[in-house]
Amino acid sequence: MSTQSKAVLITGASSGIGEATAIHLARAGHQVLAGARRTERLSDLAGRLRADGADLRTTHLDVTDPDSVHAFAATGTELFGRVDVLVNNAGVMPLSLVEDLRVDEWNQMIDVNIRGVLHGIAAVLPGMRERGSGHIVNVASVSGLRVDPTAAVYSATKFAVRAISEGLRQESRDVRVTVVCPGFTRTELTHQGGDAAVQQAARAATDELAIPPSAIARAIAFAVDQPADVDVSELVVRPTAQG
Ligand code: NDP
């Protein structure tokens, strides 16, 4: 196992899985740049880590905007001299029935969950190819493996993330690609948008079972810490009791 310090960029690090991954990797001695729209939460996180003796850099990031994602990668390169790892974690899940035709929320999921991942790849891949190494970690979901009622569009975005990851992995001889599929994880994912009753039901169904985001962070760290010739291509991490 490599213990080398890597330059890691994490999208959507202001809460949940992204925040837990930033904490885990920064504490492990990696150089981490955390991005999200809620920069005050990122600053709080950096302050907490500093008090612990760990360093975390933060910046504003909107993954739906390609310029913002390119600026994120440029900041990482400026700070650390290179980008070794990109964790494409930012995501949204406003659940509803397809027949409710919440078209704006479908587009938001496509923009954040699919385009956001592609923007991240476009921003870091040329530099990684040039250096002949790098690692892209895409956070998909168990919803990328199966479809449940009210999650049709969300699932579609996560199937897409798995397809993009697998395609990129097959093309690549030097850049590692990992897709991580979390199951129910205790985060703020159901707090925004969607049909209120559906989101409430999703919370009720998952809260009891859900695992902490640190469980997903450990899986991401496992993939990141492998040597350059070892690609952990897919990890499914879910509560033991999740059906
Ligand atoms: P949270 O809601 O806690 O975190 C989502 C993160 O995404 C936030 O930091 C948010 O930051 C960020 N984000 C949303 N939109 C944007 C944007 N346009 N630009 C930049 N960042 C954005 O949920 P999770 O931690 O659960 O979600 C993380 C990932 O895990 C998602 O991809 C999700 O689909 C996936 N996942 C989660 C599961 C769960 O049970 N929790 C299960 C399976 C997968 P901000 O609002 O500050 O921009």
Side-chain angles (χ1 to χ4, degrees):
M1 206 64 116
S2 163
T3 51
Q4 169 203 353
S5 169
K6 294 185 175 166
V8 184
L9 271 51
I10 305 174
T11 73
S14 58
S15 64
I17 292 168
E19 178 185 30
T21 304
I23 292 170
H24 188 108
L25 294 179
R27 282 190 180 146
H30 294 291
Q31 298 171 284
V32 180
L33 175 63
R37 293 164 307 170
R38 290 172 295 172
T39 47
E40 66 295 345
R41 291 185 61 151
L42 294 175
S43 303
D44 284 355
L45 173 61
R48 277 185 274 135
L49 278 167
R50 233 185 333 270
D52 265 13
D55 191 29
L56 177 79
R57 307 303 181 93
T58 67
T59 188
H60 179 269
L61 170 68
D62 182 344
V63 298
T64 66
D65 173 4
D67 292 340
S68 175
V69 184
H70 275 278
F72 183 52
T75 302
T77 306
E78 209 175 285
L79 287 170
F80 309 135
R82 66 195 191 285
V83 175
D84 294 315
V85 183
L86 169 66
V87 182
N88 270 319
N89 162 77
V92 291
M93 188 187 71
L95 297 175
S96 62
L97 293 170
V98 174
E99 68 181 25
D100 287 345
L101 305 182
R102 298 171 80 110
V103 176
D104 289 347
E105 291 184 341
W106 298 347
N107 286 332
Q108 186 202 7
M109 283 189 272
I110 291 165
D111 285 346
V112 177
N113 300 0
I114 305 179
R115 289 202 173 92
V117 166
L118 290 168
H119 294 158
I121 291 168
V124 302
L125 192 59
M128 290 178 175
R129 285 267 190 269
E130 202 176 293
R131 288 190 300 107
S133 72
H135 190 183
I136 294 174
V137 179
N138 295 327
V139 178
S141 173
V142 163
S143 296
L145 300 161
R146 56 182 267 182
V147 183
D148 294 299
T150 74
V153 179
Y154 178 71
S155 277
T157 66
K158 295 303 187 177
F159 272 75
V161 171
R162 291 186 59 241
I164 292 161
S165 305
E166 176 60 10
L168 179 60
R169 187 194 69 74
Q170 289 176 11
E171 284 177 21
S172 181
R173 290 287 169 272
D174 43 15
V175 174
R176 301 188 292 158
V177 182
T178 299
V179 62
V180 179
C181 297
F184 301 149
T185 309
R186 207 167 297 116
T187 71
E188 299 173 20
L189 194 63
T190 53
H191 296 195
Q192 296 291 325
D195 178 300
V198 169
Q199 296 285 72
Q200 172 60 38
R203 271 197 297 281
T206 60
D207 270 3
E208 219 173 291
L209 293 185
I211 50 177
S214 56
I216 312 304
R218 286 196 301 274
I220 292 172
F222 171 76
V224 166
D225 286 338
Q226 298 300 318
D229 60 343
V230 177
D231 180 36
V232 178
S233 45
E234 185 150 16
L235 284 165
V236 182
V237 183
R238 58 188 141 200
T240 306
Q242 182 174 349

